[in-house]
């Protein structure tokens, strides 16, 4: 990277809540925030937003008559984008860019309108504009009155960190001085979960921890879906109000042998982590927030990649999916949020059922990983 990128604010909403202090408090306990939800034909584990946040998002929905027909994925992002803006000195006249991605997009509305079409042979007037992927970024721009570029994309589970890559590219190109990046996922529908169950990756556990992300001794896949949205405000250079700095980014795609898997040693992760490190010694990395989806092959392949890159000195490893579920496109940014919080509080967050690790004396550089179907990996290096 040409120069550091400042993270000047961030906001999220997930099963852990939406208040940064409460989120950190929830990270420090050994409880998960997964609940059993009844669907039409089955009951399974999910990570839902809190009732308090759902009420607040309902207020957002009612704040503008045009918002009443929007998908939850858009409303979640409106909620957190407003929160992030409150923490900055940004103005609409700054022409900041916006890049919000989503793996599944307007899941609820798409399924609703499709059922309607199958039943009646007709489609509602607003079915198209409210289900297009780009409507997340465009509605955020409308709500914040931004005049800068708007980008939307879907790159499976690494969507959020690809938003960050795009933001960094725009800032370093000189075409923008400020960029809001983010991702949103509102995919807790029966059809979406049925798709994951069909892949044989969804959790059927009934013990203390339904999702065993980073448990390398598990004998079953234990992925659990969650809903969430997260945004970060990025600025070019080193700003005095920066919460953390982006020091390196890396990305890679590997040739697939199967639609949903990566190689045993996750070659894409090896390449993305090495690229993010650049000339920095692997010994300088204090911790890694892993992707670790809770599947047998997914967790192990990432560990293998980390061991290949870091050899005999593996940094402290952690993940948050056992606690707040796999939030698809938003997952990488929730991992980034965890990394920033650990830097701020100078404290690691342990996975209660994982093998004990040596705790670093200080946290200065943390690596964040994400990978998605298609073998596309992204790694981001942040520092104090």
């Amino acid at each position: 990277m040409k120069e550091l990128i400042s993270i000047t604010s961030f906001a999220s909403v997930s099963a852990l809540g939406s208040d940064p202090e409460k989120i950190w408090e929830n990270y420090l306990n050994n409880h998960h925030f997964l609940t059993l939800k009844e669907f039409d034909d089955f009951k399974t584990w999910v990570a839902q937003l809190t009732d308090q946040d759902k009420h607040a998002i309902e207020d957002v929905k009612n704040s503008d008559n045009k918002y009443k027909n929007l998908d939850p994925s858009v409303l979640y992002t409106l909620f957190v984008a407003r929160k992030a803006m409150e923490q900055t000195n940004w103005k609409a006249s700054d022409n900041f860019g916006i890049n919000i991605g989503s793996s599944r997009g307007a899941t609820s509305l798409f399924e609703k309108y499709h059922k309607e079409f199958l039943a009646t042979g007709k489609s509602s007037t607003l079915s198209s504009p409210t289900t297009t992927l780009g409507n997340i970024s465009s509605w955020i721009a409308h709500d914040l009155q931004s005049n800068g570029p708007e980008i939307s994309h879907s790159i499976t589970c690494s969507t959020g960190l690809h938003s960050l890559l795009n933001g960094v590219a725009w800032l370093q190109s000189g075409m923008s001085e400020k960029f809001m990046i983010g991702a949103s996922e509102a995919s807790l529908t029966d059809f979406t979960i049925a798709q994951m169950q069909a892949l044989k990756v969804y959790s059927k556990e009934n013990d203390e921890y339904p999702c065993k992300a980073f448990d390398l001794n598990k004998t079953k896949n234990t992925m659990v879906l969650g809903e969430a949205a997260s945004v970060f405000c990025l600025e070019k250079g080193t700003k005095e109000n920066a919460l953390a700095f982006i020091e390196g980014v890396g990305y890679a795609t590997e040739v697939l042998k199967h639609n949903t898997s990566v190689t045993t040693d996750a070659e894409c992760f090896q390449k993305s982590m090495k690229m993010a490190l650049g000339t920095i010694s692997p010994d300088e990395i204090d911790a890694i927030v892993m992707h670790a989806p809770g599947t047998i092959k997914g967790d192990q392949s990432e560990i293998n990649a980390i061991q290949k890159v870091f050899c005999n000195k593996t940094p402290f490893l952690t993940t948050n999916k056992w606690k707040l579920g796999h939030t698809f496109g938003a997952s990488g940014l929730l991992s980034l949020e965890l990394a920033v919080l650990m830097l701020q509080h100078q404290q690691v967050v342990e996975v209660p059922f994982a093998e004990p690790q040596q705790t670093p004396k200080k946290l200065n550089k943390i690596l964040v990983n994400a990978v998605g179907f298609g073998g596309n990996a992204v790694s981001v290096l942040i520092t104090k």
Side-chain angles (χ1 to χ4, degrees), residues 81-99:
R82 289 180 180 183
K83 281 178 167 286
M85 277 292 287
E86 289 172 0
Q87 302 169 35
T88 70
N89 57 2
W90 293 15
K91 303 180 295 294
S93 58
D94 293 339
N95 291 330
F96 56 89
I98 297 173
N99 184 178

Side-chain angles (χ1 to χ4, degrees), residues 58-353:
E58 190 67 21
D59 290 340
V60 171
K61 182 178 181 178
N62 294 325
S63 67
D64 188 319
N65 191 53
K66 293 185 288 295
Y67 295 170
K68 292 183 179 180
N69 294 305
L70 298 180
D71 187 76
S73 59
V74 181
L75 297 172
Y76 294 177
T77 319
L78 287 170
F79 178 59
V80 295
R82 289 180 180 183
K83 281 178 167 286
M85 277 292 287
E86 289 172 0
Q87 302 169 35
T88 70
N89 57 2
W90 293 15
K91 303 180 295 294
S93 58
D94 293 339
N95 291 330
F96 56 89
I98 297 173
N99 184 178
I100 310 295
S102 179
S103 176
R104 314 297 296 188
T107 319
S108 296
L109 283 188
F110 198 94
E111 292 179 24
K112 171 190 170 183
Y113 288 135
H114 186 246
K115 288 178 182 177
E116 178 184 90
F117 175 73
L118 292 178
T120 67
K122 296 181 180 180
S123 183
S124 296
T125 303
L126 295 177
S127 61
S128 177
T130 57
T131 58
T132 53
L133 184 61
N135 88 120
I136 301 182
S137 291
S138 60
W139 280 113
I140 303 307
H142 164 83
D143 193 63
L144 302 180
Q145 297 297 293
S146 166
N147 295 309
E150 305 162 19
I151 310 168
S152 294
H153 67 277
S154 176
I155 311 179
T156 63
C157 302
S158 54
T159 294
L161 291 193
H162 272 286
S163 295
L164 183 144
L165 291 180
N166 287 339
V168 168
W170 275 82
L171 293 173
Q172 294 208 324
S173 72
M175 294 175 67
S176 182
E177 294 295 318
K178 300 175 180 179
F179 228 92
M180 175 180 284
I181 61 98
S184 181
E185 217 66 63
S187 55
L188 298 186
T189 66
D190 49 2
F191 180 53
T192 305
I193 291 178
Q195 292 175 61
M196 298 302 105
Q197 291 174 333
L199 290 171
K200 312 295 185 190
V201 297
Y202 214 84
S203 178
K204 295 181 180 179
E205 294 291 319
N206 289 312
D207 60 11
E208 186 179 3
Y209 296 105
C211 177
K212 295 292 184 66
F214 194 33
D215 178 356
L216 302 182
N217 297 314
K218 60 180 172 288
T219 57
K220 298 178 182 177
N221 290 323
T222 63
M223 191 177 84
V224 174
L225 287 189
E227 55 184 354
S230 177
V231 300
F232 281 73
C233 292
L234 309 181
E235 298 187 38
K236 187 177 182 179
T238 55
K239 304 300 180 183
E240 290 185 3
N241 62 332
L243 305 174
F245 300 101
I246 300 171
E247 190 171 2
V249 294
Y251 47 88
T253 303
E254 63 182 45
V255 177
L256 294 179
K257 295 182 180 179
H258 186 275
N259 288 8
T260 62
S261 63
V262 295
T263 53
T264 304
D265 293 330
E267 294 169 8
C268 55
F269 264 142
Q270 292 184 51
K271 293 175 182 177
S272 67
M273 287 189 288
K274 287 177 181 178
M275 183 178 177
L277 288 172
T279 59
I280 295 170
S281 169
D283 293 344
E284 294 185 45
I285 305 304
D286 303 303
I288 300 176
V289 181
M290 300 183 299
H291 181 71
T295 62
I296 296 171
K297 291 183 178 180
D299 291 8
Q300 188 62 60
S301 63
E302 185 175 3
I303 292 293
N304 294 344
I306 290 169
Q307 291 174 342
K308 289 271 188 180
V309 173
F310 291 89
C311 301
N312 296 323
K313 190 179 179 182
T314 302
F316 181 88
L317 304 179
T318 190
T319 183
N320 56 14
K321 291 185 179 63
W322 67 273
K323 186 179 277 282
L324 53 75
H326 190 348
T327 55
F328 283 155
S331 63
L333 292 180
L334 292 179
S335 294
L336 181 63
E337 176 184 68
L338 172 56
V340 173
L341 289 172
M342 290 199 303
L343 283 179
Q344 288 180 320
H345 294 275
Q346 283 298 293
Q347 183 176 349
V348 295
V349 171
E350 301 186 48
V351 179
F353 47 78

Side-chain angles (χ1 to χ4, degrees), residues 359-380:
T359 303
K361 295 180 180 179
K362 64 177 181 177
L363 293 169
N364 187 47
K365 296 182 188 296
I366 300 179
L367 201 61
V368 179
N369 283 338
V371 70
F373 292 164
N376 55 86
V378 179
S379 298
V380 177

Side-chain angles (χ1 to χ4, degrees), residues 33-51:
F33 289 78
L34 312 179
T35 56
L36 284 169
K37 182 178 180 180
E38 291 273 4
F39 291 89
D40 289 342
D41 299 311
F42 58 87
K43 182 178 182 180
T44 195
W45 291 102
V46 295
Q48 304 180 83
L49 302 188
T50 67
D51 289 339

